[in-house]
Amino acid sequence: MSFRKTGFACLSAVMAIAVVACSDNAATANAATDDTVVHAAEVSVASKADLIAKGEKVYLANCAACHQPSGKGLAGAFPPLANSDFLKGDRKAVMSAALFGLSGPITVNGVEYNGVMPSLGHLPDEDLAAALTYVFNTWGNEGAAVSVAEVAALRVELGQVDRSTGQRHPGATEAELQYQGAPSAMSGDLTRQILTADSPALTEAEFATATQVYFERCAGCHGVLRKGATGKPLTPDITKEKGTEYLKALITYGSPAGMPNWGTSGDLTAEQIDIMARFLQQEPPAPPEFGMPEMQASWKLLVKPEDRPKSPQHKRNIDNFFAVTLRDAGKVALIDGDTKEIVTTVPTGYAVHISRPSASGRYILTIGRDAKVDMIDLWMDPPQIVAEIKIGLEARSVETSKYKGYEDKYTIAGAYWPPQFVIMDGDTLAPQKIISTRGMTVDTQEYHPEPRVAAIVASHEHPEFIVNVKETGHILLVNYSDIDSLSITDIEAAKFLHDGGWDSSKRYFLTAANQSDKVAVVDSKDRKLVALVDVTKTPHPGRGANIIDPEFGPVWVTSALGNANISFLGTDPKGHPEHAWKNVRTIDGMGGGSLFVKSHPKSSNLWVDAPLNPDESFSQSIAVFDINKLDAGFEVLPIGEWAELGEGPKRIVQPEYNMAGDEVWFSVWSGKEQESAIVVVDDKTRKLKAVIKGPDIVTPTGKFNIYNTLHDIY
């Protein structure tokens, strides 16, 4: 098969823009280059068998997400490498594709594929040689070994001398990119057009189109103001230098560093891409701020506290209720965990993110990505909303005060835009205090205009909320004993703080700084950072899981978006000081994008999901470990199959225990127009116990058991 320089030329241009689009990893690139020099001689004389062994590891880390560990590819999307006629053709063309990527239609084993293969040119020569040797000699392929010298010579021949420019942060998985690039809830009509005189022209209609596309496709990585978040800044001082055609190539073909191929994927038209390329050279339009007047205008007290029931109006076991997010329906389902009946569905608005019970267990507080907070009274029959408020234009987190003497006194919510958190009256949601999170990053001490509030938990040691400020890496301990004179302890941790939970003692808060590949440990009693623990790759714990490791004692567990790693962190500084705040054990789950791990004090199981794994056999299943036999690996349960649904992705997400700790509930998450379900499994036998489905169960995602969530049991 002939090598088409046109596709490679486009991708070469795209790779150069990676410095604009993606996070800076120059130090890593330089280190990798030095490492290549040191080891090149040794690897260059490696045997074919050694290359194949090394190549398998390189392939699994960099290629398997698309072409699959089996080499069979994915029908209609990624061509097979197993028994591939493409690999039996022009050897140089195959190696060139690895170095520069490949774009446009190709035919493999009689089937046409039309997509983009990103460049692997960022990899060291020895890794590429090993991976190519592995692919040429696996799955029925028979070929000669590829030497390091051969790869190096081809780089020079094709003009790829500086490998570090090929990708700024190698190894980003599709799961990471999907998660980090989640669309913003904001609407383009909230902004006004700002024209830059020396930038390409943009009509009012084009500006409106571009703004909406940017919020939906780009803001999750690059920030609302285009100042950068997990992705690099896209401000005019950078983009104008690159020019329209350069930006069009970037948007069309993407980059190996994580920029999606919006054009070749079919997500954006050529016209939209042209508009976006011009839009990115204009001054970024800022959505309006959202202060006290706006909050008060949005606040609705639907049922006054004095008019609410004085006791529960039904005989259901509220402690065992599950609040289930029906993401695309704009509702929350309240399900009786004892009877498995849907008690009611409550309209809460766009894309509810989490639910949190009040300290008394009477109320459920929900917050959606549209920053709307709803207070649902569980004593009512049926439960209904008694107060609501918008605390911004986009948000993710809500919590209530739990410290003794302050139960149900305050509710707090954190916003993505504007970057701030709000303290409200616990009975009515009346806004009391707004605190901005804009400030300096913990590493370079640079001002960041858009540091989002990612997660909030309530301290058990002091009357305090613990607030994660994502982009700047600050953890704020907000003392609410006197909200007119707030005392805030500022703990510097690591950038890109996300979610986390308590250790089993509920003294130590462990939270992922996911893009920094670290877990920060905060002593909530002494109000200090006790550790920054290195983990891999892009940890995503949810609240995490607390178990007793048979070798290391009490540990807190997190899975990851970026690989199959499940990390165990020691959490017992008194009983096991030698293991405290260390990554004491790493095991592999199904990988490909895990969001949640879960266990229970009464269980010997550890459950790990993988809803973003490209392999349906994993994304539609759950992995379960025996805590007492962790080295034995995991059992895979076909949760999606047990649900007996029709067509749909049927992704399995977020294990959640019932109050008794003898059942585990799973969301079977399909599309808005497809059938979804909740599957209940017996924790002891690991057998199917119940399936909850029907027209009310639309795109279920998060599930929060009232008792376990209230008492931080996980």
Side-chain angles (χ1 to χ4, degrees):
M1 187 168 294
S2 64
F3 168 60
R4 296 186 310 281
K5 292 185 178 180
T6 54
F8 294 145
C10 292
L11 281 170
S12 297
V14 169
M15 287 186 285
I17 194 66
V19 68
V20 176
C22 304
S23 61
D24 194 349
N25 199 25
T28 301
N30 292 335
T33 302
D34 293 340
D35 186 69
T36 301
V37 173
V38 172
H39 297 288
E42 177 183 350
V43 179
S44 65
V45 296
S47 69
K48 184 176 180 180
D50 290 337
L51 285 169
I52 291 173
K54 178 181 176 65
E56 182 178 14
K57 297 178 180 179
V58 178
Y59 174 87
L60 291 173
N62 295 277
C63 316
C66 294
H67 296 290
Q68 302 299 292
S70 64
K72 294 180 179 180
L74 288 176
F78 306 114
L81 301 177
N83 294 303
S84 169
D85 59 8
F86 180 78
L87 297 180
K88 297 174 184 177
D90 187 342
R91 176 183 172 94
K92 186 176 179 180
V94 176
M95 295 175 59
S96 299
L99 281 168
F100 282 92
L102 188 62
S103 174
I106 62 171
T107 300
V108 179
N109 295 346
V111 179
E112 184 174 289
Y113 297 85
N114 190 2
V116 169
M117 174 183 166
S119 162
L120 298 176
H122 63 281
L123 295 176
D125 292 350
E126 62 263 37
D127 284 3
L128 273 172
L132 286 164
T133 301
Y134 173 74
V135 169
F136 277 134
N137 293 275
T138 309
W139 314 303
N141 302 318
E142 296 181 3
V146 177
S147 69
V148 174
E150 197 176 0
V151 174
L154 189 59
R155 282 192 198 273
V156 175
E157 179 184 341
L158 299 178
Q160 192 184 74
V161 178
D162 185 2
R163 174 172 55 80
S164 69
T165 63
Q167 184 173 9
R168 302 298 291 188
H169 53 271
T173 67
E174 186 66 23
E176 293 175 274
L177 303 175
Q178 287 182 23
Y179 189 80
Q180 294 165 1
S184 168
M186 289 183 286
S187 173
D189 59 13
L190 295 171
T191 63
R192 65 180 181 86
Q193 185 173 1
I194 302 173
L195 292 176
T196 308
D198 58 346
S199 298
L202 203 67
T203 68
E204 187 173 338
E206 289 174 333
F207 172 84
T209 296
T211 303
Q212 194 61 41
V213 170
Y214 183 82
F215 284 155
E216 292 177 354
R217 309 283 192 181
C218 317
C221 288
H222 299 287
V224 170
L225 301 177
R226 305 211 310 259
K227 299 288 187 179
T230 53
K232 266 292 191 177
L234 292 173
T235 47
D237 60 310
I238 299 171
T239 55
K240 284 194 294 185
E241 182 180 337
K242 302 301 179 182
T244 300
E245 293 305 312
Y246 203 74
L247 294 170
K248 284 167 65 175
L250 167 67
I251 300 167
T252 300
Y253 296 102
S255 78
M259 179 74 178
N261 54 315
W262 295 115
T264 55
S265 68
D267 290 285
L268 296 179
T269 65
E271 181 183 9
Q272 288 174 315
I273 290 169
D274 178 69
I275 292 171
M276 292 302 299
R278 289 181 281 129
F279 170 79
L280 292 177
Q281 298 173 73
Q282 306 283 345
E283 286 294 326
E289 299 293 321
F290 205 91
M292 188 61 74
E294 290 81 9
M295 289 186 201
Q296 289 177 331
S298 73
W299 173 55
K300 297 178 182 178
L301 183 59
L302 303 174
V303 183
K304 296 178 180 179
E306 59 267 28
D307 295 332
R308 299 170 195 169
K310 307 304 180 189
S311 61
Q313 300 301 291
H314 53 82
K315 297 182 179 180
R316 296 180 183 271
N317 180 12
I318 292 175
D319 282 345
N320 202 30
F321 272 19
F322 286 78
V324 181
T325 297
L326 305 176
R327 182 183 176 91
D328 295 331
K331 298 179 179 180
V332 166
L334 297 175
I335 301 179
D336 187 325
D338 294 340
T339 66
K340 313 299 187 294
E341 296 174 299
I342 300 173
V343 178
T344 188
T345 58
V346 183
T348 50
Y350 175 73
V352 168
H353 191 66
I354 59 171
S355 300
R356 292 286 182 263
S358 66
S360 66
R362 172 173 181 172
Y363 300 107
I364 276 283
L365 284 301
T366 69
I367 191 165
R369 284 171 45 198
D370 59 355
K372 181 170 174 281
V373 179
D374 288 294
M375 173 186 278
I376 303 169
D377 189 347
L378 300 178
W379 283 12
M380 292 182 170
D381 189 19
Q384 66 183 62
I385 297 171
V386 294
E388 64 181 45
I389 189 173
K390 275 181 66 71
I391 57 94
L393 300 177
E394 185 172 6
R396 295 293 190 277
S397 54
V398 68
E399 183 62 285
T400 65
S401 55
K402 293 182 178 178
Y403 190 70
K404 187 176 181 179
Y406 293 88
E407 298 92 339
D408 288 10
K409 186 174 179 63
Y410 296 114
T411 294
I412 184 174
Y416 270 27
W417 185 269
Q420 61 193 27
F421 60 88
V422 183
I423 298 176
M424 298 159 279
D425 179 81
D427 287 329
T428 67
L429 299 185
Q432 305 286 301
K433 197 82 170 182
I434 304 172
I435 305 296
S436 174
T437 55
R438 294 179 170 104
M440 304 297 174
T441 59
V442 297
D443 52 355
T444 59
Q445 299 290 296
E446 294 177 90
Y447 178 74
H448 199 296
E450 195 186 336
R452 300 171 286 185
V453 177
I456 305 173
V457 297
S459 173
H460 301 272
E461 299 286 350
H462 300 283
E464 291 178 341
F465 294 118
I466 301 179
V467 179
N468 277 354
V469 186
K470 193 178 184 80
E471 279 74 24
T472 55
H474 292 264
I475 300 174
L476 308 180
L477 277 56
V478 182
N479 191 295
Y480 51 73
S481 59
D482 183 359
I483 66 167
D484 293 323
S485 183
L486 280 179
S487 174
I488 299 178
T489 301
D490 188 339
I491 296 174
E492 295 188 355
K495 290 199 303 185
F496 309 114
L497 293 165
H498 192 63
D499 209 352
W502 296 102
D503 78 308
S504 56
S505 74
K506 299 179 178 59
R507 172 174 175 173
Y508 299 97
F509 176 57
L510 297 95
T511 185
N514 56 18
Q515 199 67 15
S516 299
D517 297 332
K518 297 181 184 295
V519 170
V521 184
V522 173
D523 183 342
S524 68
K525 183 177 181 178
D526 291 344
R527 299 184 173 100
K528 64 180 184 180
L529 182 74
V530 295
L532 277 175
V533 186
D534 291 325
V535 296
T536 61
K537 168 87 172 42
T538 320
H540 191 281
R543 291 295 180 97
N546 289 302
I547 67 172
I548 305 298
D549 186 287
E551 182 177 353
F552 302 107
V555 298
W556 179 86
V557 183
T558 178
S559 57
L561 286 169
N563 58 26
N565 286 176
I566 303 166
S567 301
F568 293 58
L569 279 64
T571 60
D572 185 15
K574 291 185 178 180
H576 298 78
E578 72 277 19
H579 305 315
W581 320 131
K582 297 176 182 177
N583 189 358
V584 297
R585 184 192 295 271
T586 301
I587 60 177
D588 283 347
M590 297 186 295
S594 174
L595 295 180
F596 297 100
V597 295
K598 188 70 69 172
S599 190
H600 191 277
K602 297 180 181 179
S603 174
S604 61
N605 289 325
L606 174 66
W607 304 84
V608 186
D609 67 15
L612 302 180
N613 194 303
D615 188 335
E616 289 185 351
S617 64
F618 290 144
S619 65
Q620 297 182 5
S621 302
I622 195 76
V624 55
F625 294 84
D626 184 334
I627 293 170
N628 299 309
K629 300 176 182 177
L630 291 167
D631 292 336
F634 56 84
E635 181 183 0
V636 177
L637 302 185
I639 304 297
E641 178 183 321
W642 288 352
E644 295 184 344
L645 304 176
E647 292 185 355
K650 297 187 285 289
R651 290 169 288 183
I652 309 305
V653 64
Q654 204 221 15
E656 180 78 352
Y657 276 86
N658 65 341
M659 178 183 174
D662 58 9
E663 294 177 354
V664 193
W665 292 39
F666 303 94
S667 296
V668 186
W669 179 17
S670 282
K672 184 177 181 179
E673 305 301 326
Q674 298 164 323
E675 191 178 24
S676 295
I678 304 293
V679 171
V680 182
V681 174
D682 186 287
D683 181 71
K684 186 176 182 179
T685 66
R686 302 180 179 178
K687 303 297 184 181
L688 176 65
K689 194 169 182 178
V691 177
I692 306 168
K693 58 185 179 181
D696 288 331
I697 303 298
V698 179
T699 60
T701 52
K703 301 168 302 303
F704 304 93
N705 178 265
I706 299 297
Y707 185 87
N708 292 333
T709 306
L710 174 60
H711 296 280
D712 292 304
I713 297 172
Y714 31 80

